[in-house]
Amino acid sequence: MTIRYPFSAVVGHDDLKLALLLNAVSPAVGGVLVRGEKGTAKSTVVRSLAALLPRVPVVAGCRFSCDPAAPDPSCPDGPHESGLSPQTRPARLVELPVGASEDRVAGSLDLERALTEGVKAFEPGLLAAAHRGVLYVDEVNLLHDHLVDLLLDAAAMGVAHVEREGVSVRHAARFLLVGTMNPEEGELRPQLLDRFGLAVEVRASRDPAERAEVVRRRLAFDADPAGFTAAYAGGERDLARRIAAARERLPGVALPDAALRGITAVCAAFDVEGMRADLVMARTAVALAAWEGRDEVTSGDVRTAARLALPHRRRRDPFDDPLDDRGHGLDEERLEQALSEADDGPHDDGPDDGPGGGGGSGGGDPTDAPPGEGGGTGGQAPASPTAPYRTRLLAPEAVGRGGPAGRRGRTTGESGRTVGARPPAGRLRRLNLPATLAAAAPHQRGRGRSGSGLVLRREDLREAVREGRESNLVLFCVDASGSMAARARMRAVKGAVLSLLLDAYQRRDKVGLVTFRGEEATVALPPTSSVELASDRLARLATGGRTPLAAGLRRAERVLAAERLRDPRRRPLLVVVTDGRHTAGPDPVVTARRLAGVASVVVDCEHGPVRLGLAGRLAAALGGTPIRLEELAADHLAAVVRDVRRVA
């Protein structure tokens, strides 16, 4: 039996512990997203919560943990008789692996038995196992989008649906959803971020005494887990009793009109989208009052609820950090002003944006250079990129085989549209019913068929071949030499790369950044899922010096070779951003030919009335596609299509 670190032994992390406890009191709050750097005990705290939850009464033998007092009428193991003697078991903490399949999460029908034996057999998934417990997703930001959507929908509705070839199964799936993530490995999409009720930032303490106590307790636990846990057993029992008491008190907690006005005023003041934030704040405030042993929500409960429920909902741009440097993300003065105005009652005057409310990015043409900035090639401050725009889809032309799910290159796998059928290599997973019937039809007479039934055998079964979209590694190789360093031009180049980064973010790609200038090439950012880091490194990219184009390609080749060993299923796309000139090192064409097997695009940044076409020759050596910088925007492609149609 695994002995988990006691919840009451955790040092610090007060916001995280409070958020978890409030969700334990009221799972309707909507779960917790825990953001933090590696090594901050995020997983340790989450895993220790399950021991505090009250034991769960279940129907004996039910694989879906039905409550004997109110069994699920749609339970696949039902119907259950009323008045059954309940059994109790500890609340479960179910962990969802990042690489789990959809069938593993939602459950699956055994279609082979259904067709050959006439048995409607359902294998429960992780959502069923987590019912009335905790579902924990470590590195939730790395989970495939369709799985995130699946579990968040189940968490919101309390029901899981499984649809397979016209057969539908549903079962209850109510659980406390907890996700942990390291922001350096990539953020969640804003719309998914909003689906988590509360979000907290976890950081290691900078107090030496507190850090020493963390180390002291951890060493003691590792040396004697049972003895260490026994020393905190009293604190664990007290927390468990307090959770149970708060759950009993919860239905009787009142939410006064004044507190509700404060909640809605705060949500309006911070301009959050939709009504989910208002509901989450209300539920959090009620749970907090119950946790504190009160029968009515106070303004202090509303204030605490706002700090837990709103920071991650203020994000507007994909490159915005959901939380500020302190891990809060809320303007305290603005929060207090909203609560004060709510206490004073409604006013006729509209909201005051305050001084500088219309500031931010500034006005003017984004391609104009800021006043006072000159050209130059060496020692100049990095040029800021122009505003991002929607780009054309750059993707490998060949079809991949089972790469990680995404939205860029085409791939065959378990998701996407059906493009064919084949006999299953092992266990049948995705039945293609028409192909199965077509395979069985010619043999019915030979099998002695009589009556209306269809005689099926194992060799008749066909599984669907599906084509979908995959996530790729987009490696940018950016020329930062003097020939690219004209201020307005470099701003346009950075704006183009920033736009491609935004496209990579939306398509769930990994990205890497190699730059070359002077005499060498540098890996500005190793391959990562955090396009925010790539955006930051791009903004600080300095320019000037000679053009070691071959060195840039050699560095890109080494990065791709290392990444191929680390993540062999993910296909790379090399995007070289250059004018094609080289003034240092060997001829880049030789190096380019060694990369000819890699899908590549060369963004040609050459400008002026006389063009040498060097970038085009580089693309030919790479076996890739050349594209002019000004042709990168999606609206440019649409304009070309319109012009062709107009001429036709």
Side-chain angles (χ1 to χ4, degrees), residues 7 13-36 42 46 49 135 137 140 152 155 175-181 187-188 190-202 263 267 276-289 291 301-314 322-323 327-328 330:
F7 192 90
H13 298 334
D14 293 337
D15 284 349
L16 171 57
K17 291 190 288 187
L18 178 60
L20 291 172
L21 290 169
L22 293 181
N23 272 273
V25 171
S26 175
V29 168
V32 185
L33 176 66
V34 189
R35 303 173 72 255
K42 302 185 296 295
V46 173
L49 177 68
L135 182 63
V137 189
V140 65
L152 289 179
F175 47 81
L176 167 56
L177 177 64
V178 182
T180 55
M181 57 175 282
E187 288 285 357
L188 280 175
Q191 58 268 42
L192 298 182
L193 199 63
D194 179 66
R195 296 296 294 272
F196 282 91
L198 309 180
V200 293
E201 182 87 356
V202 175
I263 289 170
C267 291
R276 183 174 287 116
D278 305 66
L279 291 170
V280 170
M281 274 190 63
R283 290 165 178 161
T284 304
V286 170
L288 182 58
W291 174 251
D301 297 330
V302 174
R303 189 175 288 104
T304 301
R307 294 192 180 105
L308 294 174
L310 294 188
H312 62 297
R313 292 184 166 88
R314 71 177 180 84
L323 304 177
H328 296 306
L330 288 184

Side-chain angles (χ1 to χ4, degrees), residues 410-421:
R410 294 182 300 150
T411 184
T412 56
E414 293 188 356
S415 60
R417 62 187 180 90
T418 300
V419 295

Side-chain angles (χ1 to χ4, degrees), residues 429-448:
R429 296 184 180 277
R430 301 281 183 178
L431 178 75
N432 188 306
L433 187 56
T436 297
L437 298 178
H443 307 291
Q444 295 306 297
R445 180 176 298 178
R447 294 174 184 175

